[in-house]
Amino acid sequence: MNKPLSIPSFPRLQYGVDIVPVEDGKVLLRSFTGSVMLSGDFVAVVLPLLLPLLDGRHGIEDLAAKFDETLRPEIEDFLTLIQQKGFLGKAAQHGREDDAVMLSSKDCAYWSLYGASASQAATRLAQSTVVVTGLGDVGKIVATMLAASGVGTLVLVEGATLSTRSGGPEEAKASEAEKTELLLRKQYACRIVTIPTTIDDAAGWEETVAAASVVAVLSDTMSMSGYDRANEVCIKHGVPWVSARIDRQRAIIGPFVIPNQTACFACFEARSRANADHPEDHEALYRHWKELNGRRDIWPSLLPFAGIVGNFVALDLLRVLAGEHLSAAAGRIINIDLPTMERSVHEVLKLPRCPACSRLRDRRPTKIWDIIPTETRSVG
Ligand SMILES: [Zn+2]
């Protein structure tokens, strides 16, 4: 009688398992989850034939039939061992998981190890709609990486783009969002919608946000154009949003706002004002940054630095969308310092009675006598 197996009915060797022949017929199996050294006749004779068949397309019966019936217990023991070591991939439907996946094999390998499964990640990404606002260097990299990684729909909003890198007069007439759309359409299957205005001028911004999985507002400068509107509408519709901007030699990412769960941008702004040496200057700067829109400033910026920031945001969004990871910037500000290339993380707590996100924001403040117990009040 066959003993019960915990192994998948269509065993598939995990992505990234290295098979290294070592001296005296030994074989080292090495994966992301550990290593195991195997030796003996079974390893020398059966393994070279068995391992290539562990592709998720051969069932246990099928595998056993390819070898002498007397080897079946050893095959089952071997499969159980490598299953325990985490060398077998997650069970695949009908052993044909990869057929449904449109991602690159590297992406599939990543999501099968660090997400639910490759096909689930592909489905989640394909069903995602990401609003990318601000098509400067950072925004273009975010849009390109998301399109290349399987995101189904991108909404490109011009936002506070600085068109300093645009070409001749004809080309300059198109918005950066439209130019990015043309480039992406040539290479990727992603559905793209273009809104060639700022957030504040975008007709149907509420509908755009309501239909989105996540919103990213990006700038190569300290422009915070549209931040207040993005914050307000994303909170209203329960859609997460993240921002990134560059202040001289420092990039600032976040906070990634999960409505009703983590600090919103207004929470962050109020807290950072409270911590400022000169709160009035802080307020004036934020007012200035929120009005900074489409100016052709000569802002010191190196393209690879924008690349680091854009790729950071894109990677984080992909992990949130496909792998259901918590954003690295959820309730946090992440600073990336260009001179030292160091990263620092600052927690941002929700502000009680935040004018933008607190559930109590429309309630009158509690008066001191509301919370004094009756018996105390009766004294004196
Ligand atoms: Zn708030």
Side-chain angles (χ1 to χ4, degrees):
M1 198 181 104
N2 296 335
K3 58 185 159 184
L5 288 178
S6 61
I7 50 179
S9 40
F10 289 82
R12 178 172 58 77
L13 212 52
Q14 185 60 278
Y15 288 103
V17 174
D18 252 351
I19 302 158
V20 187
V22 192
E23 54 182 352
D24 302 332
K26 289 182 189 167
V27 171
L28 176 71
L29 291 189
R30 192 170 179 277
S31 84
F32 287 83
T33 49
S35 305
V36 61
M37 184 74 85
L38 303 167
S39 63
D41 290 345
F42 179 82
V43 170
V45 179
V46 180
L47 226 51
L49 302 169
L50 177 63
L51 289 176
L53 299 174
L54 302 181
D55 56 3
R57 287 167 162 74
H58 294 83
I60 304 277
E61 296 304 322
D62 193 10
L63 290 171
K66 295 206 183 283
F67 299 92
D68 193 290
E69 183 58 28
T70 56
L71 287 171
R72 186 179 175 120
E74 281 188 272
I75 291 175
E76 291 181 356
D77 284 348
F78 171 72
L79 291 175
T80 306
L81 171 73
I82 62 170
Q83 163 81 345
Q84 286 164 352
K85 291 279 179 187
F87 286 11
L88 289 186
K90 286 160 192 153
Q93 274 192 335
H94 316 300
R96 301 297 295 262
E97 178 187 42
D98 291 358
D99 291 353
V101 173
M102 299 295 287
L103 302 177
S104 77
S105 55
K106 280 183 184 176
D107 288 26
C108 286
Y110 181 87
W111 294 123
S112 76
L113 282 167
Y114 303 112
S117 73
S119 59
Q120 270 200 39
T123 306
R124 282 184 192 146
L125 288 171
Q127 291 172 350
S128 295
T129 298
V130 182
V131 177
V132 177
T133 297
L135 277 303
D137 293 335
V138 174
K140 279 183 187 138
I141 284 160
V142 172
T144 306
M145 287 301 139
L146 295 180
S149 302
V151 166
T153 306
L154 283 179
V155 181
L156 305 179
V157 184
E158 184 74 358
T161 307
L162 297 176
S163 307
T164 47
R165 287 178 199 271
S166 56
E170 275 308 308
E171 196 191 335
K173 283 179 193 164
S175 68
E176 294 299 317
E178 288 160 333
K179 285 185 227 169
T180 309
E181 179 190 9
L182 279 177
L183 280 175
L184 295 182
R185 274 195 195 288
K186 284 181 192 161
Q187 272 187 287
Y188 306 109
C190 183
R191 184 172 164 264
I192 302 173
V193 179
T194 305
I195 302 177
T197 68
T198 63
I199 290 179
D200 290 326
D201 295 336
W205 174 246
E206 288 229 9
E207 291 76 13
T208 302
V209 168
S213 316
V214 65
V215 174
V217 184
L218 310 160
S219 168
D220 300 346
T221 71
M222 273 306 276
S223 169
M224 294 180 181
S225 166
Y227 271 39
D228 287 343
R229 184 104 175 100
N231 196 52
E232 177 200 336
V233 176
C234 285
I235 289 168
K236 181 176 170 188
H237 291 281
V239 174
W241 81 283
V242 68
S243 53
R245 53 215 166 269
I246 299 178
D247 184 14
R248 295 164 292 186
Q249 297 215 75
R250 188 181 52 157
I252 305 163
I253 299 169
F256 184 99
V257 179
I258 306 171
N260 298 320
Q261 291 184 48
T262 64
C264 79
F265 196 83
C267 294
F268 162 68
E269 188 181 335
R271 287 194 182 277
S272 93
R273 182 185 186 278
N275 290 333
D277 292 335
H278 303 285
E280 306 77 28
D281 296 357
H282 181 277
E283 205 171 301
L285 262 176
Y286 269 66
R287 210 180 307 122
H288 169 69
W289 285 331
K290 285 177 183 178
E291 287 164 4
L292 199 61
N293 193 3
R295 280 175 43 180
R296 296 175 70 89
D297 281 1
I298 301 170
W299 191 275
S301 165
L302 294 174
L303 189 56
F305 191 49
I308 289 172
V309 180
N311 280 304
F312 189 107
V313 172
L315 185 58
D316 191 55
L317 289 178
L318 286 174
R319 285 155 49 90
V320 168
L321 293 170
E324 294 190 324
H325 291 262
L326 182 66
S327 164
R332 298 158 126 196
I333 288 285
I334 294 172
N335 291 326
I336 304 174
D337 188 52
L338 177 56
T340 61
M341 305 284 256
E342 281 177 356
R343 198 174 67 107
S344 61
V345 177
H346 306 273
E347 302 290 332
V348 185
L349 296 176
K350 264 172 86 73
L351 190 73
R353 296 195 174 279
C354 166
C357 75
S358 167
R359 286 201 180 91
L360 305 173
R361 61 187 179 272
D362 298 325
R363 237 183 262 173
R364 68 186 173 86
T366 307
K367 300 274 183 355
I368 188 70
W369 51 85
D370 287 343
I371 52 172
I372 296 175
T374 331
E375 57 272 29
T376 315
R377 221 185 286 172
S378 65
V379 174

